[in-house]
């Protein structure tokens, strides 16, 4: 029998640790395989923050990413991305462009400080040429305070 953890891949990028909290929370409840997108871009500190904002605003994808798992081996890929200047992060943009033909179905979780995240949803749908099974956005302040509820995200998969 195939276990739930063998079917769901959570792929995320984090600069500050916020998106990682969501990935770990998903794993805690659903025992998913977790894969962090690693980048060669220097995104730490003030310079990294400014670079991230520039890349987000201009929809630039990271030049080089590294992950451990191919999403084609999973029936569901949950993509967790921070919002950068109203758009998905450049490492996640690179990931979905690289694996757009391998992702079977997906859910999208966006972490943000506030504001509109609809462009990130639209961009993801356009690149993948399909709609997400679910889309959820969490404000950073709620994540940091532990005021998030992800228990019903995967209710369709049981």
């Amino acid at each position: 029998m195939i276990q739930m953890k063998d079917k769901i891949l959570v792929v995320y990028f984090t600069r500050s640790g916020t998106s990682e909290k969501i990935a770990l929370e998903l794993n805690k409840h659903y025992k998913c395989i977790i894969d962090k997108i690693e980048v060669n871009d220097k995104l730490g500190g003030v310079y990294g923050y400014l670079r991230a904002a520039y890349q987000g605003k201009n929809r630039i994808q990271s030049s080089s990413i590294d992950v451990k798992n191919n999403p084609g081996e999973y029936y569901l890929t949950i993509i967790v991305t921070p919002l950068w200047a109203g758009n998905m992060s450049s490492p996640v943009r690179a990931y979905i462009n690289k694996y757009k033909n391998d992702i079977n179905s997906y859910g999208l979780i966006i972490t943000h400080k506030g504001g509109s995240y609809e462009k990130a949803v639209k961009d993801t749908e356009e690149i993948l040429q399909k709609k997400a099974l679910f889309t959820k956005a969490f404000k950073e302040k709620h994540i940091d305070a532990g005021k998030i509820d992800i228990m019903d995200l995967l209710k369709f998969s049981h």
Side-chain angles (χ1 to χ4, degrees), residues 6-156:
D6 297 326
K7 297 181 184 178
I8 300 172
L9 173 65
V10 176
V11 63
Y12 72 97
F13 175 77
T14 192
R15 208 182 77 79
S16 65
T18 303
S19 293
E20 184 171 53
K21 290 176 185 175
I22 296 294
L24 294 174
E25 190 72 13
L26 282 165
N27 186 47
K28 179 174 146 187
H29 295 289
Y30 299 107
K31 304 300 181 217
C32 310
I33 301 298
I34 297 182
D35 205 349
K36 180 179 180 182
I37 300 170
E38 300 289 345
V39 296
N40 291 329
D41 300 343
K42 293 183 182 355
L43 297 171
V46 173
Y47 175 75
Y49 177 83
L50 294 173
R51 182 178 187 164
Y54 176 81
Q55 288 177 342
K57 183 176 190 282
N58 294 293
R59 296 183 172 145
I60 297 169
Q61 68 181 35
S62 292
S63 57
S64 176
I65 62 164
D66 187 38
V67 292
K68 294 179 179 138
N69 298 283
N70 183 320
E73 298 173 12
Y74 300 86
Y75 90 93
L76 173 63
T77 301
I78 301 174
I79 302 165
V80 185
T81 183
L83 199 64
W84 289 359
N87 293 298
M88 75 180 85
S89 66
S90 60
V92 169
R93 184 177 298 279
Y95 178 86
I96 63 172
N97 273 297
K98 181 175 181 175
Y99 291 105
K100 64 185 169 189
N101 296 322
D102 297 317
I103 294 173
N104 294 308
S105 60
Y106 75 99
L108 180 64
I109 300 177
I110 298 166
T111 61
H112 63 100
K113 293 182 187 294
S116 175
Y117 55 86
E118 285 78 18
K119 285 192 293 184
V121 174
K122 184 180 174 199
D123 281 356
T124 304
E125 289 175 353
E126 286 177 3
I127 294 167
L128 295 177
Q129 294 295 297
K130 56 185 141 192
K131 291 198 176 285
L133 294 178
F134 63 86
T135 301
K136 186 75 174 167
F138 294 107
K139 286 188 177 179
E140 187 177 302
K141 68 180 181 181
H142 295 146
I143 296 167
D144 290 341
K147 296 180 181 178
I148 58 169
D149 183 15
I150 61 165
M151 288 303 295
D152 65 340
L153 282 182
L154 301 182
K155 65 182 172 188
F156 62 87

